[in-house]
Amino acid sequence: MKKILFLHSDSILLADTASFFKNKKEYEVEIFDNFEKAMSNVVNGKYDIAVSHYCDKEKKFNDSTLFLIEQKIPTIISIKNLSSSIYDSIYKHPILDSVIEDTLSYFDDIIEIIDRYYFNATQTVLLVDGQRSKRYAIKNILNSQNYIQIS
């Protein structure tokens, strides 16, 4: 069973999330509207993947999202819109992926990312490059996507 933390401050989105995942037996989803309620479970390593809202009013990562990343929990970032500055800010961090909230495929996109993450764990990638710095950068990307690597 895939254990997922869903963390967001929008009560309507949280209700939609509960409704969407109610009949999905392969996912165990815990939904929180504030991080303090979820923190003990995060520290105890209860979740395989997290979905967290991207930013605060200053358009930067909020503390809860940064904490999830620091705890090395693969994190999907949920955002309202994707500008180039937000994109640059998001992908400086080792996140799993991002999804845009106000789309019809929002939940399907999340499911696709989660399923891809678990599928990647069954895939082996041979990494060959003459430059050590390139190998290191590519290896970090493959690690964040849960691939098995041989280099």
Side-chain angles (χ1 to χ4, degrees):
M1 176 147 330
K2 301 164 185 168
K3 296 180 180 165
I4 303 162
L5 165 66
F6 197 95
L7 182 62
H8 205 290
S9 58
D10 183 338
S11 59
I12 295 171
L13 184 62
L14 294 176
D16 289 346
T17 303
S19 174
F20 180 82
F21 282 101
K22 184 169 64 173
N23 296 323
K24 306 268 186 216
K25 301 298 182 205
E26 66 271 24
Y27 304 98
E28 180 183 324
V29 178
E30 290 192 13
I31 300 168
F32 294 95
D33 61 354
N34 87 36
F35 188 64
E36 287 72 32
K37 294 177 186 174
M39 190 179 296
S40 65
N41 290 340
V42 170
V43 171
N44 292 328
K46 183 174 180 185
Y47 305 110
D48 300 323
I49 292 179
V51 179
S52 180
H53 185 60
Y54 163 64
C55 64
D56 56 19
K57 290 177 176 44
E58 287 90 41
K59 301 277 190 219
K60 62 180 184 176
F61 274 109
N62 58 35
D63 293 338
S64 59
T65 303
L66 287 174
F67 185 77
L68 292 168
I69 292 169
E70 288 168 5
Q71 294 295 311
K72 300 192 185 323
I73 296 175
T75 304
I76 300 168
I77 304 299
S78 177
I79 54 178
K80 290 276 186 200
N81 56 28
L82 187 60
S83 67
S84 60
S85 62
I86 291 174
Y87 180 87
D88 291 342
S89 172
I90 288 174
Y91 288 99
K92 287 180 184 175
H93 298 278
I95 65 159
L96 194 52
D97 211 334
S98 62
V99 291
I100 298 176
E101 292 171 10
D102 297 330
T103 62
L104 294 175
S105 63
Y106 177 71
F107 292 114
D108 292 329
D109 293 343
I110 289 173
I111 294 293
E112 183 179 323
I113 293 165
I114 292 168
D115 289 346
R116 183 185 70 217
Y117 178 79
Y118 284 99
F119 175 76
N120 289 352
T122 67
Q123 305 302 303
T124 302
V125 176
L126 175 61
L127 177 58
V128 180
D129 194 297
Q131 292 183 344
R132 186 179 209 165
S133 60
K134 279 186 183 177
R135 276 195 321 267
Y136 181 76
I138 294 169
K139 187 175 183 175
N140 284 339
I141 293 168
L142 292 172
N143 275 339
S144 74
Q145 298 298 314
N146 206 26
Y147 282 101
I148 302 166
Q149 303 136 47
I150 302 171
S151 53

